[in-house]
Amino acid sequence: MRYVDSVYEYEYFLFMEDDFEMCVNGFDVIRYLLNRARLYHGDWIAIRASFGLNGVFLSQKDVSALANYFEKNQKRRPPDHLVVEWYAGETNETSAYKGNRVNIGFRFNIFNHIGTVSTLRAKEQKSNAYPGCWEELTVPAVFQVEAWNSKDCPDDDDDIWPCTWTAKAKCASINDNCAVVNLKKSLPKRIRFEHKGTVWS
């Protein structure tokens, strides 16, 4: 993280583990997700779009702060737990840093897990035990504080959490189509989501 932050010019940072692969049309969805997150919540602190230490988006301005937090707390918890603790503001330190910024949970998993060995679990893991491409990111695959919640977001066209009416109204005031888009059905039509033999369009 420190190397990337010191060498490259970038706007967003994405955590990826080496046993994940991007789902079909993932780049199109990432562009859509980052734009929708900005419209809904403005200055967000993180976006969860997969599980483990994979599929977490940060803004460039937050990378150094998280690197410092990792270094300070690495003996206490594994990094995929620390990152959630950090962006969810679960300690006094992280809550003060986060302020009123929102951590966002994307509805759909955009990375396919292909690994079977975990550094956190002794037993070999089955890849199909985790959410596959375009499956919803709910508890227990991710923590409650970052999970897609259909009770909070009952509209079929919702795909980012939190999905408050205030956020929707703000988004709609900027973009007339923002609050009525259904990712699976209509945004954009050229994207086709392929999951377990089923094609969504």
Side-chain angles (χ1 to χ4, degrees):
M1 293 177 71
R2 295 193 192 282
Y3 175 78
V4 169
D5 199 43
S6 64
V7 172
Y8 295 99
E9 293 185 10
Y10 62 98
E11 187 173 359
Y12 300 110
F13 180 95
L14 170 64
F15 279 105
M16 285 199 67
E17 297 184 37
D18 62 2
D19 57 351
F20 283 78
E21 58 186 9
M22 185 177 291
C23 299
V24 174
N25 297 308
F27 281 114
D28 288 316
V29 175
I30 287 172
R31 284 193 291 269
Y32 160 77
L33 169 59
L34 292 173
N35 184 57
R36 192 161 170 97
R38 177 183 59 81
L39 291 170
Y40 260 57
H41 295 294
D43 186 24
W44 48 267
I45 190 169
I47 302 174
R48 162 68 78 184
S50 192
F51 51 91
L53 192 60
N54 193 75
V56 175
F57 293 86
L58 305 174
S59 293
Q60 184 275 332
K61 66 180 180 179
D62 296 312
V63 170
S64 179
L66 179 55
N68 291 338
Y69 195 75
F70 275 163
E71 189 171 35
K72 180 180 178 181
N73 296 280
Q74 59 185 311
K75 292 183 179 180
R76 184 169 57 83
R77 295 185 77 183
D80 54 339
H81 290 199
L82 284 175
V83 70
V84 179
E85 176 181 286
W86 178 81
Y87 63 64
E90 294 180 339
T91 68
N92 291 336
E93 178 185 353
T94 59
S95 179
Y97 181 85
K98 178 182 181 180
N100 61 0
R101 299 164 71 195
V102 173
N103 62 282
I104 294 171
F106 190 46
R107 182 175 183 172
F108 303 108
N109 178 37
I110 63 174
F111 293 94
N112 184 40
H113 185 239
I114 58 175
T116 58
V117 178
S118 171
T119 56
L120 300 179
R121 299 171 183 84
K123 294 182 179 179
E124 185 171 297
Q125 306 294 303
K126 294 182 179 179
S127 290
N128 61 7
Y130 300 98
C133 285
W134 316 119
E135 290 191 48
E136 292 185 352
L137 289 169
T138 57
V139 177
V142 294
F143 292 106
Q144 183 74 48
V145 294
E146 56 179 350
W148 167 255
N149 188 324
S150 59
K151 291 183 179 179
D152 290 346
C153 309
D155 293 347
D156 192 45
D157 63 343
D158 283 327
D159 52 26
I160 64 170
W161 174 93
C163 49
T164 61
W165 285 109
T166 301
K168 287 184 177 184
K170 176 183 176 183
C171 180
S173 71
I174 301 171
N175 180 348
D176 290 339
N177 295 321
C178 185
V180 296
V181 165
N182 184 305
L183 185 61
K184 288 184 183 179
K185 296 179 179 177
S186 60
L187 183 80
K189 292 186 181 297
R190 62 191 170 83
I191 292 181
R192 294 166 61 82
F193 300 95
E194 298 179 8
H195 170 60
K196 294 183 178 179
T198 300
V199 178
W200 300 339
S201 59

